[in-house]
Amino acid sequence: MNRSATHVVTEFVLLGFPGSWKIQIFLFVLFLVVYVLTLLGNGAIICAVRCDSRLHTPMYFLLGNFAFLEIWYVSSTVPNILANILSKTKAISFSGCFLQFYFFFSLGTTECLFLAVMAYDRYLAICRPLHYPAIMTRRLCGILVSSCWLTGFLGYPIPIFSISQLPFCGSNIIDHFLCDMDPLMALSCAPAPITEFIFYAQSSLVLFSTAAYILRSYVLLLRAVLRVPSAAGRLKAFSTCGSHLVVVSLFYGTVMVMYVSPTYGISTLMQKILTLVYSVVTPLFNPLIYSLRNKDMKCALKNVLLGMKIVKAT
């Protein structure tokens, strides 16, 4: 099919969230507050890990990088949501749509890999404490973090470029607040089963392999914790892993509903809400979950805030 003859769509219209102008203003303020709090919360974790020497350990190194990832992940959606709410046309350019599509999935894949690496770190710390310092070295941490970023961003250019080359010659209206796989394929004039298969196979491989590894890690962790003789030791181990498990459950639970279970029975509004949970709500709650359940992190954050007050006073 001649793409130049059929490809007449130069932009897409993201319908976002329906409602009156008052509702739109309320949503704008809500998303803006959530975005600012997410940036501040994750930024505070990065500063705490960087500035407090007590946090210069593999676990907090991974946590700092994870907070950095969350800032980029939420920035791949919320700024465009804010612009879309204020826009009269609610249009996004063709290239802008596919750039958002690429960054959203690449960052999401990177997050899955990061969660798996963090589970590996907790497994070593609790199940093999004597070998932990020798195994989880600074060099290995750097390799693991670099691998997460490279794998996440090098996995999607070809599939997403192939989707962008499909002819879009009909409607350009997407009933969503971001450019996602299913809405884009629904607008294509030509079927692309091979491209769809490759994309979903790749996404499913990352999702299921990381989820299976995390689940296996926590089964082993649970067995090791239950063998700890003292109640205080068991409580400390559960506290160390509890925050990571909450984040994993919140993220994977909503992603599985969206991309693994059939979505034809889920309303469009519910799909938007589920997408918001793992792409916007999770990055907001992560700093709270990690800081409120961790004494070292709470002390480091207090020192960062105290240092900021001293600088302002001088």
Side-chain angles (χ1 to χ4, degrees):
M1 185 176 290
N2 188 350
R3 182 179 183 274
S4 61
T6 59
H7 179 60
V8 295
V9 173
T10 58
E11 63 181 19
F12 295 99
V13 176
L14 297 173
L15 295 183
F17 295 92
S20 64
W21 180 243
K22 289 183 178 180
I23 294 177
Q24 296 297 307
I25 294 298
F26 170 76
L27 290 174
F28 178 86
V29 173
L30 177 64
F31 283 123
L32 181 61
V33 171
V34 167
Y35 185 55
V36 172
L37 290 177
T38 302
L39 296 183
L40 291 175
N42 286 285
I45 287 180
I46 295 172
C47 292
V49 172
R50 185 178 179 83
C51 298
D52 196 318
S53 59
R54 293 173 300 177
L55 302 186
H56 292 174
T57 62
M59 183 180 79
Y60 292 109
F61 174 75
L62 294 174
L63 180 57
N65 277 272
F66 186 68
F68 180 73
L69 167 64
E70 293 291 63
I71 289 175
W72 283 103
Y73 192 39
V74 74
S75 296
S76 69
T77 55
V78 176
N80 188 69
I81 292 174
L82 296 174
N84 181 268
I85 290 174
L86 297 180
S87 172
K88 293 183 179 179
T89 61
K90 300 188 179 298
I92 182 173
S93 67
F94 187 87
S95 58
C97 180
F98 278 93
L99 276 175
Q100 185 193 54
F101 184 24
Y102 168 69
F103 279 106
F104 182 70
F105 270 89
S106 295
L107 290 166
T109 299
T110 305
E111 177 147 351
C112 290
L113 297 172
F114 255 101
L115 290 172
V117 169
M118 293 168 76
Y120 173 66
D121 174 74
R122 292 300 83 207
Y123 161 75
L124 288 178
I126 294 176
C127 296
R128 304 183 65 184
L130 298 179
H131 299 88
Y132 179 72
I135 297 175
M136 208 63 178
T137 60
R138 184 184 294 269
R139 181 173 178 272
L140 180 60
C141 284
I143 292 173
L144 291 173
V145 168
S146 301
S147 299
C148 289
W149 285 100
L150 288 174
T151 304
F153 276 83
L154 295 180
Y156 285 99
I158 294 177
I160 290 180
F161 177 77
S162 300
I163 296 170
S164 71
Q165 299 304 296
L166 295 173
F168 296 90
C169 51
S171 173
N172 67 338
I173 297 175
I174 298 176
D175 191 5
H176 213 314
F177 59 84
L178 53 77
C179 295
D180 204 352
M181 179 65 175
D182 288 340
L184 286 171
M185 293 306 298
L187 298 181
S188 173
C189 301
I194 296 177
T195 302
E196 283 190 80
F197 174 78
I198 293 173
F199 185 90
Y200 282 117
Q202 181 176 325
S203 300
S204 299
L205 177 63
V206 172
L207 195 62
F208 282 110
S209 61
T210 54
Y213 180 80
I214 292 170
L215 182 61
R216 176 182 176 275
S217 297
Y218 273 97
V219 170
L220 295 175
L221 281 172
L222 183 61
R223 289 173 57 187
V225 168
L226 292 177
R227 292 173 184 166
V228 175
S230 66
R234 288 195 298 270
L235 182 62
K236 183 179 179 181
F238 276 123
S239 178
T240 303
C241 302
S243 56
H244 183 249
L245 190 58
V246 170
V247 172
V248 168
S249 301
L250 186 63
F251 180 78
Y252 275 95
T254 50
V255 171
M256 290 285 189
V257 171
M258 275 296 299
Y259 295 103
V260 177
S261 62
T263 57
Y264 54 79
I266 305 175
S267 67
T268 304
L269 179 60
M270 183 55 65
Q271 291 183 35
K272 295 176 186 178
I273 293 173
L274 290 171
T275 305
L276 278 177
V277 170
Y278 69 81
S279 64
V280 178
V281 177
T282 302
L284 171 66
F285 284 160
N286 282 351
L288 295 174
I289 292 170
Y290 281 114
S291 61
L292 291 178
R293 296 181 61 90
N294 191 299
K295 292 181 180 179
D296 292 335
M297 180 59 69
K298 283 193 285 188
C299 291
L301 289 173
K302 287 179 182 178
N303 292 336
V304 170
L305 294 175
L306 182 61
M308 292 174 62
K309 289 181 180 179
I310 293 174
V311 170
K312 286 183 179 180
T314 56

PDB file of all heavy atoms in Angstrom, residues 238-253:
ATOM      1  N   PHE A 238      10.837  -8.063  57.457  1.00  0.00           N
ATOM      2  CA  PHE A 238       9.573  -7.746  56.790  1.00  0.00           C
ATOM      3  C   PHE A 238       9.481  -6.256  56.483  1.00  0.00           C
ATOM      4  O   PHE A 238       8.974  -5.849  55.430  1.00  0.00           O
ATOM      5  CB  PHE A 238       8.389  -8.169  57.664  1.00  0.00           C
ATOM      6  CG  PHE A 238       8.011  -9.615  57.511  1.00  0.00           C
ATOM      7  CD1 PHE A 238       7.994 -10.467  58.603  1.00  0.00           C
ATOM      8  CD2 PHE A 238       7.671 -10.126  56.263  1.00  0.00           C
ATOM      9  CE1 PHE A 238       7.654 -11.799  58.468  1.00  0.00           C
ATOM     10  CE2 PHE A 238       7.319 -11.455  56.110  1.00  0.00           C
ATOM     11  CZ  PHE A 238       7.314 -12.297  57.218  1.00  0.00           C
ATOM     12  N   SER A 239       9.956  -5.410  57.407  1.00  0.00           N
ATOM     13  CA  SER A 239       9.907  -3.970  57.199  1.00  0.00           C
ATOM     14  C   SER A 239      10.788  -3.556  56.032  1.00  0.00           C
ATOM     15  O   SER A 239      10.444  -2.675  55.253  1.00  0.00           O
ATOM     16  CB  SER A 239      10.350  -3.247  58.473  1.00  0.00           C
ATOM     17  OG  SER A 239      10.352  -1.845  58.283  1.00  0.00           O
ATOM     18  N   THR A 240      11.943  -4.226  55.904  1.00  0.00           N
ATOM     19  CA  THR A 240      12.867  -3.901  54.817  1.00  0.00           C
ATOM     20  C   THR A 240      12.252  -4.208  53.458  1.00  0.00           C
ATOM     21  O   THR A 240      12.401  -3.458  52.496  1.00  0.00           O
ATOM     22  CB  THR A 240      14.175  -4.706  54.978  1.00  0.00           C
ATOM     23  OG1 THR A 240      14.730  -4.407  56.259  1.00  0.00           O
ATOM     24  CG2 THR A 240      15.165  -4.346  53.894  1.00  0.00           C
ATOM     25  N   CYS A 241      11.532  -5.332  53.373  1.00  0.00           N
ATOM     26  CA  CYS A 241      10.971  -5.768  52.089  1.00  0.00           C
ATOM     27  C   CYS A 241       9.541  -5.290  51.856  1.00  0.00           C
ATOM     28  O   CYS A 241       9.063  -5.301  50.720  1.00  0.00           O
ATOM     29  CB  CYS A 241      10.988  -7.293  52.010  1.00  0.00           C
ATOM     30  SG  CYS A 241      12.610  -8.010  52.188  1.00  0.00           S
ATOM     31  N   GLY A 242       8.863  -4.898  52.922  1.00  0.00           N
ATOM     32  CA  GLY A 242       7.448  -4.533  52.793  1.00  0.00           C
ATOM     33  C   GLY A 242       7.205  -3.389  51.847  1.00  0.00           C
ATOM     34  O   GLY A 242       6.268  -3.422  51.033  1.00  0.00           O
ATOM     35  N   SER A 243       8.049  -2.363  51.917  1.00  0.00           N
ATOM     36  CA  SER A 243       7.843  -1.192  51.059  1.00  0.00           C
ATOM     37  C   SER A 243       7.984  -1.563  49.586  1.00  0.00           C
ATOM     38  O   SER A 243       7.191  -1.142  48.742  1.00  0.00           O
ATOM     39  CB  SER A 243       8.847  -0.096  51.422  1.00  0.00           C
ATOM     40  OG  SER A 243      10.171  -0.588  51.344  1.00  0.00           O
ATOM     41  N   HIS A 244       8.999  -2.381  49.281  1.00  0.00           N
ATOM     42  CA  HIS A 244       9.192  -2.809  47.885  1.00  0.00           C
ATOM     43  C   HIS A 244       8.028  -3.658  47.405  1.00  0.00           C
ATOM     44  O   HIS A 244       7.578  -3.525  46.262  1.00  0.00           O
ATOM     45  CB  HIS A 244      10.495  -3.596  47.772  1.00  0.00           C
ATOM     46  CG  HIS A 244      10.822  -4.027  46.373  1.00  0.00           C
ATOM     47  ND1 HIS A 244      10.793  -5.342  45.980  1.00  0.00           N
ATOM     48  CD2 HIS A 244      11.153  -3.318  45.271  1.00  0.00           C
ATOM     49  CE1 HIS A 244      11.104  -5.428  44.696  1.00  0.00           C
ATOM     50  NE2 HIS A 244      11.338  -4.214  44.244  1.00  0.00           N
ATOM     51  N   LEU A 245       7.497  -4.502  48.277  1.00  0.00           N
ATOM     52  CA  LEU A 245       6.381  -5.368  47.902  1.00  0.00           C
ATOM     53  C   LEU A 245       5.112  -4.564  47.636  1.00  0.00           C
ATOM     54  O   LEU A 245       4.336  -4.894  46.717  1.00  0.00           O
ATOM     55  CB  LEU A 245       6.126  -6.388  49.013  1.00  0.00           C
ATOM     56  CG  LEU A 245       5.149  -7.518  48.699  1.00  0.00           C
ATOM     57  CD1 LEU A 245       5.625  -8.301  47.486  1.00  0.00           C
ATOM     58  CD2 LEU A 245       5.013  -8.446  49.898  1.00  0.00           C
ATOM     59  N   VAL A 246       4.882  -3.507  48.407  1.00  0.00           N
ATOM     60  CA  VAL A 246       3.724  -2.644  48.180  1.00  0.00           C
ATOM     61  C   VAL A 246       3.811  -1.981  46.804  1.00  0.00           C
ATOM     62  O   VAL A 246       2.833  -1.936  46.041  1.00  0.00           O
ATOM     63  CB  VAL A 246       3.618  -1.572  49.290  1.00  0.00           C
ATOM     64  CG1 VAL A 246       2.570  -0.525  48.928  1.00  0.00           C
ATOM     65  CG2 VAL A 246       3.264  -2.218  50.621  1.00  0.00           C
ATOM     66  N   VAL A 247       4.989  -1.463  46.468  1.00  0.00           N
ATOM     67  CA  VAL A 247       5.191  -0.816  45.165  1.00  0.00           C
ATOM     68  C   VAL A 247       4.973  -1.807  44.030  1.00  0.00           C
ATOM     69  O   VAL A 247       4.304  -1.507  43.031  1.00  0.00           O
ATOM     70  CB  VAL A 247       6.610  -0.210  45.082  1.00  0.00           C
ATOM     71  CG1 VAL A 247       6.903   0.297  43.677  1.00  0.00           C
ATOM     72  CG2 VAL A 247       6.760   0.921  46.080  1.00  0.00           C
ATOM     73  N   VAL A 248       5.537  -3.005  44.175  1.00  0.00           N
ATOM     74  CA  VAL A 248       5.398  -4.034  43.148  1.00  0.00           C
ATOM     75  C   VAL A 248       3.929  -4.411  42.950  1.00  0.00           C
ATOM     76  O   VAL A 248       3.449  -4.521  41.806  1.00  0.00           O
ATOM     77  CB  VAL A 248       6.222  -5.282  43.532  1.00  0.00           C
ATOM     78  CG1 VAL A 248       5.868  -6.461  42.632  1.00  0.00           C
ATOM     79  CG2 VAL A 248       7.700  -4.978  43.426  1.00  0.00           C
ATOM     80  N   SER A 249       3.207  -4.598  44.038  1.00  0.00           N
ATOM     81  CA  SER A 249       1.795  -4.992  43.950  1.00  0.00           C
ATOM     82  C   SER A 249       0.965  -3.921  43.263  1.00  0.00           C
ATOM     83  O   SER A 249       0.113  -4.229  42.413  1.00  0.00           O
ATOM     84  CB  SER A 249       1.244  -5.265  45.353  1.00  0.00           C
ATOM     85  OG  SER A 249       1.965  -6.285  45.994  1.00  0.00           O
ATOM     86  N   LEU A 250       1.191  -2.670  43.618  1.00  0.00           N
ATOM     87  CA  LEU A 250       0.427  -1.567  43.036  1.00  0.00           C
ATOM     88  C   LEU A 250       0.705  -1.437  41.547  1.00  0.00           C
ATOM     89  O   LEU A 250      -0.219  -1.280  40.736  1.00  0.00           O
ATOM     90  CB  LEU A 250       0.776  -0.260  43.757  1.00  0.00           C
ATOM     91  CG  LEU A 250      -0.038   0.980  43.384  1.00  0.00           C
ATOM     92  CD1 LEU A 250      -1.509   0.794  43.730  1.00  0.00           C
ATOM     93  CD2 LEU A 250       0.515   2.215  44.103  1.00  0.00           C
ATOM     94  N   PHE A 251       1.962  -1.538  41.160  1.00  0.00           N
ATOM     95  CA  PHE A 251       2.346  -1.364  39.753  1.00  0.00           C
ATOM     96  C   PHE A 251       1.895  -2.543  38.898  1.00  0.00           C
ATOM     97  O   PHE A 251       1.183  -2.382  37.908  1.00  0.00           O
ATOM     98  CB  PHE A 251       3.860  -1.173  39.650  1.00  0.00           C
ATOM     99  CG  PHE A 251       4.356  -0.991  38.249  1.00  0.00           C
ATOM    100  CD1 PHE A 251       4.217   0.230  37.597  1.00  0.00           C
ATOM    101  CD2 PHE A 251       4.956  -2.039  37.565  1.00  0.00           C
ATOM    102  CE1 PHE A 251       4.674   0.401  36.300  1.00  0.00           C
ATOM    103  CE2 PHE A 251       5.414  -1.873  36.268  1.00  0.00           C
ATOM    104  CZ  PHE A 251       5.276  -0.648  35.637  1.00  0.00           C
ATOM    105  N   TYR A 252       2.301  -3.749  39.310  1.00  0.00           N
ATOM    106  CA  TYR A 252       1.991  -4.927  38.487  1.00  0.00           C
ATOM    107  C   TYR A 252       0.505  -5.260  38.496  1.00  0.00           C
ATOM    108  O   TYR A 252      -0.022  -5.756  37.491  1.00  0.00           O
ATOM    109  CB  TYR A 252       2.792  -6.133  38.975  1.00  0.00           C
ATOM    110  CG  TYR A 252       4.176  -6.200  38.400  1.00  0.00           C
ATOM    111  CD1 TYR A 252       5.259  -5.675  39.086  1.00  0.00           C
ATOM    112  CD2 TYR A 252       4.406  -6.777  37.160  1.00  0.00           C
ATOM    113  CE1 TYR A 252       6.541  -5.729  38.556  1.00  0.00           C
ATOM    114  CE2 TYR A 252       5.677  -6.840  36.618  1.00  0.00           C
ATOM    115  CZ  TYR A 252       6.741  -6.308  37.325  1.00  0.00           C
ATOM    116  OH  TYR A 252       7.995  -6.361  36.792  1.00  0.00           O
ATOM    117  N   GLY A 253      -0.184  -4.993  39.594  1.00  0.00           N
ATOM    118  CA  GLY A 253      -1.613  -5.290  39.652  1.00  0.00           C
ATOM    119  C   GLY A 253      -2.395  -4.564  38.583  1.00  0.00           C
ATOM    120  O   GLY A 253      -3.199  -5.172  37.859  1.00  0.00           O
TER     121      GLY A 253
END
